[in-house]
Amino acid sequence: MKNKKQYDVIIVGGSYSGLAAGMALGRALKKVLIIDSGKPCNAPTPQSHNFLTQDGKTPAAIAALAKQQVVLYETITFINGLATNGRKTEEGFEIQVASGEIFHSTKLIIATGIKDILPNIEGVSDCWGISMLHCPYCHGYEVRNEKTGILGNGEHAYELAQLISNWTTDLTVYTNGKSSLTVEQTQKLSNHQINIIEKDIERLEHNTGYLQNIIFKDGTKREVKAMYSRNSFEQHCTIPESLGCALDDEGYIKVNPLQETSVDGVFACGDNTTRLRTVANAVAMGTTAGMTASKKMILEQF
């Protein structure tokens, strides 16, 4: 096909995992296209943690340095765009972006992350990633020993309360309505001096994303400096599912230890495949995906 835009690998998503995959492929001399829309899910987060050599840096600074290094590999091309459609072809894969351009590749790596579906409470979205948190291993140290809340109910709230009790003894579960915790769970929380408040929440009072108070619908309020919430989510990108990639019961893309999906030639890495949402893990998974994809191509062409 004349002027066909052909690559060895297309990577959809150019954050940490996608960039790591790109570096591994660039170093393997593969022709790579990285498509990225520039909207990482951790953009509001003031600092990233638990990543050796990068602890305390902003997510944007880490990503900028990563791209600066990846772009030095001459076989790698970046485009700023949103991948909207994908299909399997006889030669591999075809990816279309919002502008209508179509690109082709032998292998495909999906590194698009997930989209959190936040509780419908005023103030939550403003605080998300700043003082409304998902991971104590990423942010718990910075809010250790502070007045901390768990926003949730039932099993998820209980699991989170158990975990977060490691970082603070001033912990309260806010169920935002009648508690669905079991009698045994309620007693266990009480044994650890963890209160349960069942009042309906009106809004979160904050200062530029930093929590100050929970305002309840009955007009009362409670001081809080940090809250954890385990939210539902959806895949940022529908292309893997449209190609037939299997999802697990929680909605993550199923992959094996080499980051291969259920569709031959398609790999996935980063937050779209696992609960373990850390920058370090995303980089590790991206490196694995890039190395695996390149090795498969080398052996197939030998």
Side-chain angles (χ1 to χ4, degrees):
M1 185 186 295
K2 193 174 181 180
N3 298 322
K4 184 178 179 180
K5 297 171 183 176
Q6 179 70 43
Y7 296 86
D8 292 321
V9 183
I10 292 175
I11 300 173
V12 183
S15 192
Y16 315 104
S17 207
L19 289 169
M23 177 174 281
L25 287 159
R27 292 184 60 79
L29 311 178
K30 297 305 176 190
K31 186 179 179 184
V32 180
L33 176 66
I34 299 177
I35 303 171
D36 186 57
S37 61
K39 296 179 179 178
C41 67
N42 65 351
T45 304
Q47 294 179 326
S48 180
H49 295 284
N50 236 356
F51 187 10
L52 283 172
T53 77
Q54 305 298 317
D55 194 50
K57 291 188 178 180
T58 66
I62 298 171
L65 177 59
K67 186 173 181 179
Q68 179 184 325
Q69 294 176 348
V70 173
V71 78
L72 295 177
Y73 292 90
E74 58 187 19
T75 59
I76 296 178
T77 301
F78 286 86
I79 66 163
N80 181 17
L82 179 66
T84 55
N85 293 292
R87 72 180 187 91
K88 190 95 166 61
T89 66
E90 289 185 5
E91 298 81 20
F93 301 93
E94 177 182 285
I95 296 295
Q96 183 174 13
V97 297
S99 67
E101 282 187 282
I102 294 175
F103 304 94
H104 303 263
S105 66
T106 305
K107 306 293 184 190
L108 180 63
I109 296 178
I110 306 294
T112 46
I114 58 173
K115 180 181 178 182
D116 292 297
I117 301 173
L118 300 178
N120 186 25
I121 298 172
E122 182 184 341
V124 167
S125 60
D126 296 322
C127 298
W128 186 244
I130 302 172
S131 58
M132 278 289 306
L133 310 170
H134 79 285
C135 173
Y137 292 99
C138 296
H139 307 292
Y141 185 83
E142 282 63 44
V143 293
R144 64 195 183 280
N145 302 321
E146 294 282 8
K147 288 183 179 297
T148 302
I150 303 295
L151 179 58
N153 211 342
E155 190 65 33
H156 284 172
Y158 182 67
E159 289 178 1
L160 264 179
Q162 288 179 292
L163 183 62
I164 305 307
S165 67
N166 178 75
W167 281 268
T168 182
T169 57
D170 195 343
L171 184 59
T172 303
V173 173
Y174 297 94
T175 58
N176 192 30
K178 185 174 177 57
S179 172
S180 58
L181 291 153
T182 67
V183 173
E184 293 78 10
Q185 289 169 340
T186 301
Q187 185 59 56
K188 192 70 176 287
L189 293 178
S190 177
N191 292 345
H192 287 270
Q193 290 76 54
I194 298 172
N195 295 321
I196 300 170
I197 293 183
E198 302 180 64
K199 294 181 180 181
D200 292 326
I201 297 172
E202 177 70 34
R203 60 186 174 87
L204 303 183
E205 192 174 67
H206 63 94
N207 181 13
T208 61
Y210 290 92
L211 279 163
Q212 296 173 318
N213 295 291
I214 300 172
I215 309 299
F216 299 102
K217 290 184 177 180
D218 65 5
T220 61
K221 66 180 181 180
R222 288 267 300 203
E223 182 183 4
V224 66
K225 296 299 182 184
M227 291 187 77
Y228 290 87
S229 176
R230 183 176 293 166
N231 306 312
S232 55
F233 68 90
E234 60 187 14
Q235 290 286 335
H236 250 307
C237 181
T238 60
I239 290 173
E241 202 170 357
S242 72
L243 291 173
C245 295
L247 304 182
D248 67 18
D249 292 341
E250 291 186 272
Y252 294 106
I253 301 172
K254 283 186 177 180
V255 292
N256 66 16
L258 296 177
Q259 306 303 135
E260 297 171 299
T261 71
S262 61
V263 176
D264 186 42
V266 181
F267 304 78
C269 51
D271 292 354
N272 57 13
T273 67
T274 178
R275 271 193 189 185
L276 193 57
R277 296 173 64 181
T278 69
V279 174
N281 193 52
V283 170
M285 295 172 78
T287 301
T288 300
M291 291 171 64
T292 304
S294 66
K295 182 178 180 180
K296 284 182 74 74
M297 296 184 74
I298 292 166
L299 297 182
E300 288 167 0
Q301 294 162 5
F302 185 75

